[in-house]
Amino acid sequence: MEAQKSESPECGAQGSELRSTERTETDFTSDALPVNETERNLLLLFAREAVELGFSVVPTAPREKRPAVPQWHIYQKRLPTREEIERWFSPAQEGVGLVTGAVSGNVEALDFDTHESFATFCEVVCGLGYGPLLDHVLDGYLERSPKGAHALYKCETIEGNKKLANAYDRDESSIIKRTPQGKPILKAMIETRGEGGVIIIAPSHGATHPSGEPYTLERGGLATVATITPEERDTLLSIARSLDEIPKAVSSELGSKSRAKESDGTRPGDLFNARAIWAEILEPHGWRLVYERGGTVYWRRPGKDEGVSATTNHAGSDLLYVFTSSSDFDSERGYSKFSAYTLLNHDGDFSKTAEELSRRGYRAEKSPGASYRDPKETRPLGVSEEAWPVLADEAFYGLAGDIVRTIDPYTEADKSAVLVTLLVMFGNCVNANAHFLVEYTKHFVRLFVALVGRTAKGRKGQSLSTLRYVFEQIDPDWSRDRVVFGGLSSGEGLIDAVRDQRRNDAGEIIDQGELDKRLLLVEEELVSALKVASREGNTLSAILRQAWDRGDLRPLTKNNKIRATGAHISIVSHITQEELLRYLTATEQSNGFGNRFIWVLVKRSKLIPRPVPVPTEILAPLIERLRLAIDFARRTTVLDRDTEAEARWEAVYPTLSEGKPGMFGAIIGRAEVQVMRLACLYALLDHSTVIKVPHLEAALALWDYSEDSARSIFSDRLGDPASERLLQALRSTPEGLSDKEINDQVFARNKPAGELARIKKLLLSLGLVRSETKQDTGGRPETVWMATN
């Protein structure tokens, strides 16, 4: 069986839950055996059938979980005879052990010490998309042990007994048990029983286990043990290893003298560990993020299409742990970001890495009278205060500007966040009526906006607080029923929220559907939607494109009859820079998903230790003005530019339509339409059916801010990891790198000449690098590459 992956993280056959089943006599008996003998000695009958099926079995000693047969090791080489089975099991027996390994047809057992460890393993396997593989194994043979579980499978490649995941042994008060010498005691949570092993199996009962509890077959039996490939076995064992709870030795970053010196956290390596994100370190070298659970991120090594090879941030450690020996890393150690970067980029030379990082700005600079900056305040690809975009005053035109300026003294939220949130809410509240035309295509006043904070302290959520109160006074039904928090989990779920009425073949209504087609999604964790949209086969991205483009939604599956016509969906979403750069990295995803969003950098505008609401007497006149604007907008159909605005549009259109490089260009690829939707909103707030110059200028000012935000976030992202890697190396080396240095130092001689030429050509075409021909000391010309400004 080839490695199977599921479309969903859920298992199809209760993979993570042990369930009791009722044993029938046919489970372990042959038709030739009388019932009274079955009742007298079930283990004897089971042992006979096991040997007939090619499995070596032995009796076990009570409460000791070991074979009761002297010299039992000979049964690792041959099956017991019929006479030996009769002699061992004719007296009443309580336990039977299965000898694993080649003697039993290359059978191996996954032994889970607790029910919790089994459930966690199943959850991660399914989360990684291997539910069908898990079901294939468990349907073949799964049993409940008194405290845990056993799963059996056969494979042409097995090993001896292996401990895969350990934990500290704890008492009933969760205190770690220790030896008389004070060392913590470890216990294996997940291990294999392979060549040379033995495992107690069902129907063992009675005093076999110290608890007195029986071993119970849950699914399958010895006759149905599944056969899996070595690659599938490697996948399952790697996932089990990822659950190890014992910290590994951390790879040394410095010499012994330097280690002895206490760090103040300002060395380049310390700053890099604090600021960098793992995606920037691993993805340029071909590592791929495949799953995330509880803060632990699962990675697959380059050259591998299945399984999991490493984790980062397991148990909150912020370290890289690798389970495979087929990589640049030692599988027995934990690596910090600094260590991993050094191994991947400088062949383990920490001094060279420190020099490079220092040139790139990973150093603590102290000016007279100034204190050191918190290393966690910025990110390596973050936006400095000096480079933070500025929102021009033109964006605060008319009623929108009056509302934002009124709210601003009372909130820590960024004015840009309040402004775009107001525009999104207004556009959704007025419904799908007002629009502008591009040929025959109607563009309604709905927006998708993403507020991007540098950290979780960006006060993104506060931008909605007062505005919710304002709109509740105008349209309480919409505020209560059509503003939904969360919900970006599946395309089908999105359609269901705005679905059409359905009738059966007789014309009878079987589903009233949603009469109000407005839906404002407030997604405070956009990262979750990005993860969902990136899964193979998920429809969320496609349905969102339909929602932004036309509003007529239908699933991509044949048998799903749910539809939505005229849906008016808008989105206000929140995400941090680190999450965005980690999960929105593919150009294809950016073209389809990202450029429907207006990306807006936001930060805390001020500190208000004791916030109070905006006084209602101040808000009341603005609420009334907004109510009148909404009433006007609901009566408006087509908007168009007047003569002056048309002339201004013709002047700016070439710039808006010009293609930009890399992911930045992909992200802003719908500039023209986004600007016009914004201009329509400003016009409607101004009770105007025509778009005038001030409306267009306000839209352009807000779009400039969004474009500058996208440039700050995505300018280094080209959608091509190798090109990004070379660009980063050239920017950190102002004197430039020769062709030989690029081949040797940047790519470790792993790129063919044609690929290197393609990378350089791409960077040249984008104006990001330049080349110079120099004469070396031997008189031979040498091409040197440098990053442009």
Side-chain angles (χ1 to χ4, degrees):
M1 173 183 177
E2 294 300 321
Q4 300 178 51
K5 295 185 71 176
S6 63
E7 300 290 337
S8 162
E10 299 177 358
C11 289
Q14 298 103 3
S16 61
E17 182 179 348
L18 290 171
R19 50 186 170 83
S20 298
T21 56
E22 189 170 327
R23 173 71 55 73
T24 65
E25 68 178 74
T26 57
D27 283 339
F28 298 114
T29 63
S30 66
D31 294 337
L33 294 170
V35 174
N36 61 350
E37 188 174 354
T38 301
E39 295 172 344
R40 188 166 62 247
N41 198 334
L42 182 62
L43 258 67
L44 172 60
L45 304 176
F46 169 74
R48 287 175 180 170
E49 183 171 345
V51 173
E52 289 175 4
L53 291 172
F55 294 91
S56 179
V57 293
V58 292
T60 58
R63 293 187 173 85
E64 296 185 24
K65 299 171 68 174
R66 64 174 180 82
V69 180
Q71 307 297 322
W72 72 272
H73 295 88
I74 63 175
Y75 301 104
Q76 296 174 1
K77 305 296 182 183
R78 69 167 177 87
L79 299 179
T81 64
R82 179 67 177 248
E83 291 73 19
E84 288 170 327
I85 293 294
E86 297 292 335
R87 185 172 69 252
W88 292 339
F89 291 100
S90 287
Q93 289 288 338
E94 295 178 327
V96 58
L98 172 67
V99 181
T100 52
V103 68
S104 295
N106 262 30
V107 72
E108 189 171 55
L110 268 176
D111 183 1
F112 300 89
D113 188 68
T114 65
H115 298 148
E116 292 77 14
S117 62
F118 175 70
T120 300
F121 172 79
C122 292
E123 179 186 345
V124 176
V125 172
C126 293
L128 284 163
Y130 294 100
L133 171 59
L134 181 64
D135 282 346
H136 175 61
V137 171
L138 301 186
D139 286 341
Y141 190 100
L142 171 65
E143 68 184 4
R144 177 196 294 267
S145 67
K147 291 186 176 181
H150 300 152
L152 300 183
Y153 55 82
K154 293 181 179 181
C155 183
E156 65 181 64
T157 301
I158 61 171
E159 302 172 272
N161 302 335
K162 297 286 184 182
K163 292 183 179 180
L164 304 176
N166 297 304
Y168 291 118
D169 195 7
R170 300 175 184 270
D171 61 19
E172 295 179 356
S173 302
S174 297
I175 297 174
I176 297 175
K177 296 179 181 179
R178 296 183 179 273
T179 66
Q181 294 75 30
K183 293 183 177 181
I185 298 175
L186 308 182
K187 65 176 182 178
M189 299 299 293
I190 309 175
E191 56 189 322
T192 62
R193 297 296 180 189
E195 192 62 43
V198 65
I199 190 167
I200 299 175
I201 60 172
S204 298
H205 60 280
T208 303
H209 192 273
S211 68
E213 296 293 323
Y215 292 73
T216 307
L217 188 68
E218 297 287 329
R219 291 155 71 177
L222 290 184
T224 60
V225 172
T227 298
I228 62 177
T229 67
E231 293 75 20
E232 290 169 333
R233 175 182 177 272
D234 180 63
T235 293
L236 295 176
L237 268 55
S238 294
I239 294 171
R241 290 189 181 98
S242 76
L243 303 177
D244 190 13
E245 298 178 12
I246 306 303
K248 303 289 190 301
V250 180
S251 178
S252 173
E253 300 178 358
L254 301 165
S256 57
K257 291 183 180 179
S258 299
R259 277 203 311 273
K261 180 182 177 180
E262 185 176 350
S263 168
D264 61 2
T266 61
R267 297 174 300 184
D270 299 328
L271 296 173
F272 186 74
N273 285 335
R275 299 179 189 175
I277 60 176
W278 279 108
E280 295 177 79
I281 298 168
L282 298 176
E283 287 178 352
H285 294 270
W287 288 78
R288 286 187 294 161
L289 188 155
V290 291
Y291 179 59
E292 185 172 0
R293 174 187 176 274
T296 300
V297 180
Y298 291 78
W299 297 85
R300 184 175 297 147
R301 67 171 174 81
K304 188 176 177 67
D305 296 324
E306 299 288 344
V308 60
S309 309
T311 62
T312 53
N313 199 40
H314 180 56
S317 65
D318 203 26
L319 298 175
L320 170 70
Y321 293 126
V322 179
F323 320 121
T324 175
S325 58
S326 302
S327 76
D328 297 311
F329 299 99
D330 188 334
S331 61
E332 298 300 321
R333 291 189 173 275
Y335 289 84
S336 71
K337 294 167 183 170
F338 181 54
S339 294
Y341 186 87
T342 299
L343 192 60
L344 290 172
N345 295 281
H346 292 286
D347 198 26
D349 190 327
F350 290 101
S351 297
K352 284 186 178 179
T353 303
E355 291 174 5
E356 179 208 326
L357 295 179
S358 181
R359 290 195 303 269
R360 288 171 52 191
Y362 290 94
R363 57 182 181 272
E365 298 178 358
K366 191 173 183 181
S367 58
S371 59
Y372 286 112
R373 175 173 291 187
D374 182 352
K376 296 182 180 179
E377 187 176 327
T378 58
R379 301 286 178 185
L381 294 181
V383 184
S384 67
E385 295 299 324
E386 297 78 11
W388 198 274
V390 176
L391 182 56
D393 290 340
E394 287 83 356
F396 298 99
Y397 171 83
L399 177 57
D402 292 344
I403 293 174
V404 173
R405 282 188 288 266
T406 301
I407 294 174
D408 185 59
Y410 297 89
T411 181
E412 293 182 342
D414 194 313
K415 285 201 297 184
S416 64
V418 179
L419 176 61
V420 294
T421 303
L422 168 62
L423 294 175
V424 174
M425 296 180 77
F426 173 73
N428 190 263
C429 188
V430 302
N431 211 340
N433 195 33
H435 63 275
F436 73 93
L437 289 169
V438 177
E439 296 180 356
Y440 290 102
T441 302
K442 294 180 179 180
H443 284 274
F444 294 95
V445 287
R446 47 179 173 255
L447 301 176
F448 292 1
V449 166
L451 305 181
V452 185
R454 182 162 53 194
T455 67
K457 300 291 187 181
R459 293 300 186 264
K460 301 178 287 295
Q462 287 191 9
S463 61
L464 188 68
S465 178
T466 302
L467 292 175
R468 284 201 74 191
Y469 170 80
V470 168
F471 279 90
E472 283 170 358
Q473 312 313 305
I474 300 171
D475 192 339
D477 292 338
W478 173 79
S479 298
R480 182 187 62 248
D481 301 330
R482 308 312 295 162
V483 179
V484 177
F485 285 76
L488 284 179
S489 57
S490 72
E492 290 75 10
L494 195 60
I495 299 175
D496 183 71
V498 288
R499 68 192 182 279
D500 293 341
Q501 185 185 84
R502 290 178 58 201
R503 297 175 180 268
N504 60 20
D505 294 339
E508 301 166 326
I509 297 174
I510 59 174
D511 181 2
Q512 288 289 354
E514 291 289 347
L515 299 180
D516 192 341
K517 297 295 185 174
R518 298 174 298 173
L519 183 67
L520 172 60
L521 291 172
V522 181
E523 183 54 77
E524 296 177 302
E525 296 291 340
L526 181 59
V527 63
S528 300
L530 293 181
K531 294 177 187 177
V532 169
S534 64
R535 292 175 187 159
E536 184 179 350
N538 188 273
T539 62
L540 178 60
S541 179
I543 299 302
L544 281 174
R545 293 198 297 272
Q546 294 175 19
W548 190 90
D549 294 346
R550 298 177 299 279
D552 295 334
L553 316 179
R554 60 179 56 202
L556 305 180
T557 53
K558 261 187 208 177
N559 299 325
N560 194 331
K561 296 183 179 179
I562 189 171
R563 299 285 188 275
T565 305
H568 190 58
I569 298 174
S570 307
I571 299 174
V572 174
S573 60
H574 305 161
I575 194 169
T576 67
Q577 274 183 259
E578 180 175 356
E579 292 168 336
L580 181 57
L581 290 172
R582 176 184 294 178
Y583 293 106
L584 190 67
T585 57
T587 301
E588 179 182 353
Q589 186 172 329
S590 303
N591 283 329
F593 188 101
N595 59 26
R596 264 85 174 175
F597 281 78
I598 295 175
W599 303 90
V600 178
L601 273 173
V602 300
K603 60 183 177 180
R604 186 191 310 205
S605 62
K606 63 185 77 67
L607 293 175
I608 304 179
R610 301 180 67 179
V612 296
V614 183
T616 54
E617 61 270 20
I618 296 177
L619 282 177
L622 294 171
I623 292 174
E624 184 58 27
R625 289 174 61 189
L626 185 60
R627 185 195 315 275
L628 294 173
I630 290 174
D631 290 341
F632 173 83
R634 288 173 177 170
R635 300 192 302 270
T636 302
T637 53
V638 182
L639 293 95
D640 200 0
R641 298 177 289 268
D642 67 9
T643 304
E644 291 78 10
E646 187 66 34
R648 178 73 176 114
W649 178 251
E650 290 178 359
V652 299
Y653 186 77
T655 302
L656 293 173
S657 302
E658 182 184 359
K660 305 294 193 303
M663 277 195 71
F664 165 61
I667 284 291
I668 64 167
R670 297 181 185 271
E672 310 97 302
V673 175
Q674 299 280 25
V675 169
M676 280 303 300
R677 291 192 182 193
L678 290 169
C680 287
L681 289 166
Y682 279 108
L684 293 171
L685 284 165
D686 211 19
H687 295 244
S688 176
T689 58
V690 295
I691 299 166
K692 302 176 182 179
V693 169
H695 308 142
L696 185 55
E697 293 292 357
L700 287 168
L702 185 49
W703 178 255
D704 284 345
Y705 185 86
S706 174
E707 185 171 316
D708 288 344
S709 297
R711 181 181 290 106
S712 298
I713 298 167
F714 297 106
S715 60
D716 285 344
R717 296 295 174 119
L718 306 175
D720 182 79
S723 300
E724 291 172 7
R725 183 176 179 183
L726 177 55
L727 180 61
Q728 185 180 59
L730 293 175
R731 285 179 173 172
S732 65
T733 314
E735 64 275 16
L737 295 171
S738 67
D739 285 327
K740 185 176 186 306
E741 289 170 330
I742 290 172
N743 186 30
D744 294 348
Q745 298 176 19
V746 181
F747 295 110
R749 301 181 183 178
N750 287 328
K751 296 288 183 187
E755 175 67 1
L756 288 173
R758 182 197 66 80
I759 293 169
K760 295 168 188 173
K761 183 178 180 180
L762 173 63
L763 296 177
L764 275 172
S765 68
L766 298 175
L768 297 172
V769 301
R770 61 186 177 87
S771 63
E772 292 182 4
T773 302
K774 298 183 178 180
Q775 296 291 125
D776 64 14
T777 55
R780 301 173 64 182
E782 182 181 52
T783 300
V784 176
W785 297 82
M786 288 161 282
T788 61
N789 293 326

